[in-house]
Amino acid sequence: MRTDAFALRHLGPRETDLNHMFKTIGVDSLDQLIFETIPDDIRLKNDLNLEAPMTEYEYLNHIQELGRKNKVFKSYIGLGYHPAIVPAVIQRNIFENPGWYTAYTPYQAEIAQGRLEAILNFQTTVIELTGMEIANASLLDEGTAAAEAMALLLDVRSRDQKKNNVNKFFVSEEILPQTLSVLQTRATPFGIELVVGNHETFDFSSDYFGAILQYPGKYGQVYDYAGFIAKAKTNEIKVAVAADILSLVKLTPPGEMGADVVVGTTQRFGIPMGYGGPHAGYFATKEEYKRSMPGRIIGVSIDANGNRALRMALGTREQHIKREKATSNICTAQVLLAVMAGMYAVYHGPKGLQYIADKVHASATTIAEALNKLGIYQTNSAFFDTILVKADANKVKAIAEKNEVNFFYPDAETVSISFNETTSVNDINQIIAIFAEATGKEKITISQLANEVMVPENLVRKSTFLQHDVFNNHHSESQLMRYIKKLERKDLSLNHSMISLGSCTMKLNAAAEMLPLSMANWNSIHPFAPVEQAEGYITMLKKLEQQLNVVTGFTGTTLQPNSGAQGEYAGLMAIRAYHQSRGDNHRTVCLIPSSAHGTNPASAAMAGMDIIVTKTTPEGNIDVEDLRARAIEFKDKLSCLMVTYPSTHGVFESSIIEITNIIHENGGLVYMDGANMNAQVGLTNPATIGADVCHLNLHKTFAIPHGGGGPGVGPICVNDKLVPFLPTNPVVKVGGDKAITAISSAPYGSALVCLISYGYICMLGAEGLTNATKYAILNANYMKARLQEHYPVLYSGEMGRAAHEMILDCRAFEDNGIKVTDIAKRLMDYGFHAPTVSFPVAGTLMIEPTESEDLAELDRFCDALISIRKEITASSKEDTQNILKNAPHTLAMVTADEWIYPYTREQAAFPLAYITENKFWPTVRRVDEAYGDRNLVCSCAPIEAYM
């Protein structure tokens, strides 16, 4: 047994388990199972061309050595990214804690109360600092949040504006350059005309439906926008403001100026820069727009006993439910980062945040005063953290970089300097010395920060914020550590038991893959630092792109999209650009099978495509003849097909090459949704099946953890046709030679967590990656064999096999009065998170065990479902007090003096022997979803405040 082989640690089943598993499935070998699962005509003939696998020890040495090629300079670049101090108590207890980073999106609220409370804290922080009424649980970054604001304002136009097709959107020239690029990308397919200009000379014409302003401006100038917003309102123009979250501690909130939407990033609330991400974007708006708001909202509700319970609110407005009628395709949020940012606010509280904001502002005013004495003049009349000075940029740059300092240089005569919470008096003296040398003046030394305030009195914040107890009771490390632990104990994560979510691939997030994220030479680089300072990053990212090219069979990759849905959108926008480059502007029809993920039609709608839904056969496969008929019918307008492979039904469809040929014969391209890539790696690939582009969920197949609902990374891999159209960035050039504008803010998206996937591939190598796929298929078929006599399996391949997941049909149990939701809640009593509920078919469970679950864990889960099946048989429609309807059972319920149920306490809480050794207690009873939507509360304020 090679104990230094990473594959041994990653793969669950042991060599000694295999014969038992083969016998249960009814095969003689793993090769026979794979032959019976994957059509032979799409099998790869050669092994993946990847380097030999590294051991964990070799990889960690390699990544440290590579990290030393990154140069960590003092960063004063700004433009939305700032060095931040991650409090050690948050780094150790959340960022580096699998109890937080391996949790899944809180769809099962009863076993997610901890992270739901943490996100509620985040939402409260955003609401109170922005002065708005409602905020969501985070978005991907500031640029995409601004694009979502534009889309919301388009959606909430007045009836007359919609009738008259009012389509102009004003963008202040003060907007961050990367935000402008993302707005340009999103505006194009929507037919929105962006007009960039000076907000002080804007004409407020009735041709405009909305506007966006930057607060403070991109180079630090603080404007009073109250007059602009008031005038816009009288002209039926709604206004979004992109605001620096820390500045809102010091400055009048945009909500108090009358803004309709406020967006930004919470990166400087204790999140490392990480060469661009991941960081939690924020989005706040008015309550009247809640049903148009993108992303997830955490709301307060009650449980079956009437006790306070949290859950995701207003689910029906989400894109995957609205499908092609969606106004957003946002799916993944940035929950782990939002939890950290919210906890940063909890730890520091209002007084601590005030201290930090004051110190940052004082750093800026102190430098401005000192440089003034050197004859270097600062041009911002009001500022928070950023000054703009007139100097010889080339001369300053040369001296600054010699001293390992980065400023931003808007032009040859201007230097922009942004200060942050890490800035010390010594740093300030270093900056003064750099400018003194550049001008040949004698340097001035300062010993303390100035007290001058460079914000007009009318823009100084007067309103209080974060007065709730949670932001005022946890300021010692002991207090915060215990609060974090209290919340963690309420949540079921992968460090407790398997999470078998079909289509979500909750696999091992190995510690060796995660460790580099805490290394300063990886997490402290600004995304707009000169590329020669990021040699380690560029090497790693380019290598990862090559590895993903090998895995997919394609020739180009962009890592920029920072979620799977963003990847879908990027792929479709590349297809759109390809057709337009050939003069085929009329090719706008996108064919989507009815079984597709809800994000598929939502993303196609975002890309301005006309969606035609094609039929599915009773066996759950694409109806090839209906697809052919549709492709021929729309051949002059056909843009693409979106197809998930293996299918959303967990089957490798044997007609896939015929399907892709039909599309190509009729002038379209094929987009493959990579959600189920965990069943392909090393055995087949998107290029082989005939796709032109695919996205990959690095937070699924390639081991980035789900983080309780994000971060996600959704790169796209493309063939030669589409390489020229890969997206760029306005500050750091990336992408193809005919690149589309940016998909997200940073050049490489969430670059920091790409280290995880890089490590996963480096340590597994070709054989390990291929075996991971084989074992994922093995585990799924073992569970299928054990469960199929108790639960009907809805779909199978032609030889009766599942791919990496299967769907259990629970609809017949309604004859016993039991719905699939009851099974999901009862699984909590057995210590498990439910599989995916009612997707892609209502009334079903979709199970995906992944390769990293061992035989004992698979058996425990199967035993739980088989035990529940017996409980279903014992239930009836008349018996509304049965064990499934009352699930989950809390500790308070089981230990109460009174027990009024027709089953024992032991049956409720300890139905199988294994549970006694490792009992997980849900902290609330079943949550009342409808109550929470009727009485929407999305912040920490007591319920009485909303009544």
Side-chain angles (χ1 to χ4, degrees):
M1 183 170 74
R2 267 203 63 188
T3 58
D4 61 352
F6 178 70
L8 177 79
R9 308 306 187 189
H10 180 77
L11 301 175
R14 305 292 88 183
E15 201 68 40
T16 51
D17 298 328
L18 297 183
N19 285 334
H20 166 72
M21 296 177 79
F22 297 155
K23 189 176 177 183
T24 305
I25 295 167
V27 293
D28 295 328
S29 67
L30 197 48
D31 286 342
Q32 183 190 343
L33 174 63
I34 299 305
F35 174 78
E36 293 178 4
T37 304
I38 303 179
D40 205 44
D41 64 339
I42 61 166
R43 284 288 303 277
L44 297 181
K45 303 297 181 263
N46 300 307
D47 294 337
L48 297 175
N49 183 21
L50 295 168
E51 292 175 7
M54 300 179 191
T55 66
E56 292 186 25
Y57 180 73
E58 287 168 340
Y59 173 70
L60 288 170
N61 282 331
H62 160 72
I63 211 69
Q64 283 179 324
E65 192 177 325
L66 198 56
R68 282 193 278 272
K69 295 185 178 181
N70 293 323
K71 297 172 184 172
V72 183
F73 283 17
K74 290 279 183 184
S75 177
Y76 306 98
I77 296 169
L79 293 182
Y81 301 94
H82 304 268
I85 297 169
V86 186
V89 62
I90 294 175
Q91 177 173 322
R92 176 60 60 91
N93 291 287
I94 295 177
F95 188 59
E96 298 173 344
N97 182 352
W100 285 94
Y101 66 68
T102 71
Y104 184 61
T105 303
Y107 285 127
Q108 297 296 336
E110 295 82 0
I111 50 175
Q113 289 296 298
R115 89 195 81 119
L116 286 166
E117 181 171 328
I119 304 167
L120 197 74
N121 294 342
F122 171 84
Q123 289 179 178
T124 304
T125 302
V126 170
I127 288 168
E128 298 204 5
L129 286 175
T130 59
M132 300 304 287
E133 295 168 350
I134 189 170
N136 69 15
S138 75
L139 288 181
L140 301 172
D141 59 23
E142 181 165 339
T144 50
E148 295 293 342
M150 177 177 69
L152 179 140
L153 296 182
L154 182 73
D155 188 49
V156 301
R157 286 176 299 172
S158 69
R159 188 173 295 166
D160 282 349
Q161 285 175 325
K162 287 177 178 174
K163 192 173 94 177
N164 297 321
N165 194 29
V166 173
N167 72 337
K168 282 189 177 179
F169 188 73
F170 174 75
V171 182
S172 165
E173 61 195 14
E174 291 285 339
I175 205 83
L176 297 175
Q178 67 271 24
T179 299
L180 175 59
S181 189
V182 176
L183 286 168
Q184 288 166 335
T185 309
R186 186 70 68 89
T188 304
F190 278 175
I192 295 171
E193 185 184 337
L194 287 190
V195 179
V196 183
N198 185 335
H199 75 273
E200 293 175 324
T201 57
F202 179 53
D203 65 358
F204 298 96
S205 113
S206 59
D207 295 338
Y208 291 86
F209 68 87
I212 188 165
L213 309 167
Q214 190 82 41
Y215 184 62
K218 61 184 173 183
Y219 303 135
Q221 177 67 40
V222 173
Y223 296 95
D224 183 350
Y225 290 129
F228 179 97
I229 293 170
K231 196 165 182 186
K233 196 155 290 187
T234 62
N235 290 277
E236 277 200 284
I237 299 169
K238 295 182 175 71
V239 180
V241 177
D244 178 289
I245 192 84
L246 186 62
S247 77
L248 300 184
V249 174
K250 189 99 181 154
L251 304 178
T252 301
E256 293 178 19
M257 295 181 183
D260 295 283
V261 186
V262 186
V263 298
T265 173
T266 55
Q267 179 266 315
R268 64 193 313 182
F269 272 29
I271 312 297
M273 288 187 292
Y275 204 49
H279 308 133
Y282 74 81
F283 190 106
T285 187
K286 296 178 174 178
E287 184 122 355
E288 64 188 281
Y289 304 142
K290 64 191 177 191
R291 295 199 178 269
S292 297
M293 186 160 75
R296 292 166 178 147
I297 307 169
I298 305 312
V300 180
S301 188
I302 56 174
D303 74 358
N305 283 355
N307 295 321
R308 179 180 184 270
L310 307 175
R311 29 73 82 181
M312 293 202 294
L314 299 178
T316 53
R317 42 166 264 299
E318 289 190 36
Q319 49 73 29
H320 53 281
I321 293 168
K322 293 172 87 170
R323 298 176 72 86
E324 64 270 17
K325 294 184 174 66
T327 53
S328 164
N329 73 335
I330 286 292
C331 186
T332 309
Q334 298 278 29
V335 167
L336 184 68
L337 297 312
V339 165
M340 290 174 67
M343 214 58 82
Y344 180 92
V346 168
Y347 195 40
H348 290 296
K351 290 178 182 172
L353 292 178
Q354 192 74 59
Y355 167 78
I356 293 165
D358 286 345
K359 179 171 173 275
V360 169
H361 183 63
S363 299
T365 58
T366 303
I367 277 279
E369 202 175 279
L371 294 183
N372 199 35
K373 289 174 184 171
L374 290 176
I376 298 164
Y377 298 109
Q378 197 282 127
T379 60
N380 287 334
S381 58
F383 56 83
F384 167 63
D385 66 352
T386 301
I387 61 171
L388 201 62
V389 299
K390 288 299 172 187
D392 184 329
N394 286 333
K395 193 180 275 190
V396 171
K397 188 170 191 275
I399 297 164
E401 291 185 1
K402 185 180 70 181
N403 286 277
E404 300 192 345
V405 168
N406 287 328
F407 303 128
F408 188 71
Y409 306 93
D411 57 49
E413 290 87 39
T414 315
V415 183
S416 173
I417 313 171
S418 291
F419 297 90
N420 59 79
E421 68 169 321
T422 72
T423 306
S424 67
V425 169
N426 286 343
D427 295 329
I428 289 169
N429 282 318
Q430 183 187 34
I431 293 168
I432 296 167
I434 288 166
F435 280 91
E437 185 179 339
T439 54
K441 303 272 180 71
E442 195 170 325
K443 72 175 183 180
I444 302 161
T445 301
I446 64 129
S447 57
Q448 60 184 35
L449 299 180
N451 290 321
E452 190 181 2
V453 175
M454 287 301 294
V455 177
E457 178 57 29
N458 67 309
L459 286 181
V460 174
R461 181 173 189 135
K462 311 292 191 303
S463 52
T464 58
F465 56 91
L466 304 185
Q467 299 302 298
H468 191 277
D469 286 352
V470 75
F471 300 103
N472 293 281
N473 288 344
H474 305 292
H475 302 326
S476 77
E477 180 165 336
S478 294
Q479 288 168 322
L480 189 70
M481 177 179 66
R482 288 171 188 149
Y483 178 60
I484 291 169
K485 188 65 183 177
K486 182 179 109 174
L487 298 189
E488 183 195 340
R489 281 200 304 266
K490 296 181 179 186
D491 285 12
L492 193 145
S493 302
L494 273 177
N495 64 347
H496 181 274
S497 56
M498 73 184 284
I499 301 179
S500 61
L501 285 148
S503 188
C504 295
T505 316
M506 298 290 293
K507 61 168 67 180
L508 171 72
N509 314 118
E513 296 157 5
M514 303 297 293
L515 283 173
L517 273 59
S518 295
M519 297 175 182
N521 50 9
W522 289 108
N523 66 29
S524 301
I525 310 284
H526 193 291
F528 302 146
V531 287
E532 58 271 17
Q533 293 174 23
E535 188 186 336
Y537 255 117
I538 300 302
T539 302
M540 181 274 291
L541 294 166
K542 293 298 172 196
K543 182 83 172 289
L544 177 58
E545 288 175 2
Q546 290 163 5
Q547 291 168 333
L548 297 178
N549 288 343
V550 169
V551 165
T552 58
F554 286 139
T555 50
T557 292
T558 175
L559 296 163
Q560 194 177 114
N562 43 21
S563 81
Q566 290 291 92
E568 290 175 11
Y569 178 65
L572 294 172
M573 290 299 284
I575 288 172
R576 187 178 187 275
Y578 166 79
H579 286 309
Q580 291 183 345
S581 74
R582 295 157 55 86
D584 289 343
N585 293 19
H586 53 281
R587 289 198 172 273
T588 58
V589 167
C590 177
L591 301 182
I592 303 179
S594 60
S595 60
H597 289 143
T599 51
N600 286 182
S603 296
M606 296 303 100
M609 294 186 173
D610 303 310
I611 296 148
I612 303 294
V613 177
T614 68
K615 293 177 184 173
T616 305
T617 67
E619 296 76 35
N621 298 327
I622 292 171
D623 185 325
V624 178
E625 292 316 310
D626 182 62
L627 180 87
R628 191 191 313 276
R630 293 295 196 161
I632 292 169
E633 179 186 354
F634 294 102
K635 68 178 181 181
D636 296 331
K637 295 181 178 179
L638 184 61
S639 172
C640 60
L641 165 74
M642 293 188 84
V643 61
T644 302
Y645 200 75
S647 74
T648 309
H649 294 150
V651 173
F652 280 96
E653 297 180 43
S654 58
S655 55
I656 188 63
I657 289 180
E658 182 184 1
I659 287 167
T660 56
N661 284 341
I662 289 168
I663 301 304
H664 291 142
E665 285 161 9
N666 289 283
L669 299 185
V670 175
Y671 174 94
M672 193 204 87
D673 183 313
N676 296 338
M677 194 69 195
N678 212 44
Q680 282 197 44
V681 179
L683 300 178
T684 182
N685 64 34
T688 299
I689 69 168
D692 299 280
V693 50
C694 74
H695 88 266
L696 301 171
N697 295 96
L698 297 192
H699 51 288
K700 296 182 183 182
T701 308
F702 295 95
I704 293 176
H706 284 66
V713 179
I716 56 167
C717 306
V718 299
N719 61 15
D720 289 340
K721 290 178 185 172
L722 295 175
V723 166
F725 307 101
L726 292 176
T728 189
N729 177 276
V731 184
V732 177
K733 187 178 178 343
V734 292
D737 53 20
K738 298 177 184 173
I740 60 172
T741 43
I743 295 296
S744 52
S745 292
Y748 296 97
S750 294
L752 179 63
V753 291
C754 287
L755 280 163
I756 300 167
S757 299
Y758 176 69
Y760 174 80
I761 296 170
C762 286
M763 288 188 284
L764 279 176
E767 185 182 2
L769 287 170
T770 306
N771 281 337
T773 308
K774 290 179 178 178
Y775 276 54
I777 292 170
L778 171 70
N779 282 358
N781 281 279
Y782 174 77
M783 291 183 79
K784 177 175 178 285
R786 281 211 61 198
L787 293 171
Q788 61 193 2
E789 60 189 272
H790 306 280
Y791 296 84
V793 175
L794 204 51
Y795 304 113
S796 298
E798 290 176 5
M799 296 192 193
R801 303 300 176 202
H804 62 312
E805 62 190 11
M806 80 210 81
I807 299 174
L808 303 187
D809 192 349
C810 304
R811 291 172 290 188
F813 304 148
E814 294 199 20
D815 292 344
N816 297 71
I818 300 303
K819 294 186 174 179
V820 69
T821 309
D822 300 320
I823 300 171
K825 303 308 179 191
R826 181 59 175 150
L827 268 168
M828 297 174 191
D829 292 329
Y830 286 81
F832 286 108
H833 193 293
T836 303
V837 176
S838 288
F839 173 82
V841 180
T844 64
L845 292 173
M846 182 157 64
I847 299 176
E848 179 184 356
T850 85
E851 70 277 7
S852 45
E853 298 303 340
D854 62 88
L855 179 60
E857 188 70 356
L858 301 179
D859 279 335
R860 269 190 292 274
F861 187 81
C862 290
D863 290 345
L865 273 180
I866 292 165
S867 176
I868 289 172
R869 181 66 182 87
K870 292 172 185 169
E871 293 171 352
I872 294 168
T873 303
S875 303
S876 67
K877 277 185 177 176
E878 297 69 39
D879 177 15
T880 56
Q881 284 293 324
N882 66 55
I883 204 162
L884 284 107
K885 287 291 181 191
N886 282 319
H889 297 81
T890 62
L891 180 62
M893 189 179 175
V894 173
T895 56
D897 290 340
E898 187 181 25
W899 183 258
I900 57 171
Y901 308 105
Y903 47 90
T904 68
R905 297 174 198 256
E906 184 178 21
Q907 286 170 322
F910 300 99
L912 292 175
Y914 75 82
I915 301 168
T916 58
E917 295 177 10
N918 191 24
K919 176 64 182 173
F920 180 89
W921 291 102
T923 50
V924 297
R925 292 193 63 195
R926 199 172 302 193
V927 178
D928 187 331
E929 303 283 345
Y931 179 92
D933 283 352
R934 287 195 310 270
N935 304 277
L936 188 65
V937 176
C938 298
S939 73
C940 294
I943 289 178
E944 294 76 33
Y946 290 82
M947 290 181 174

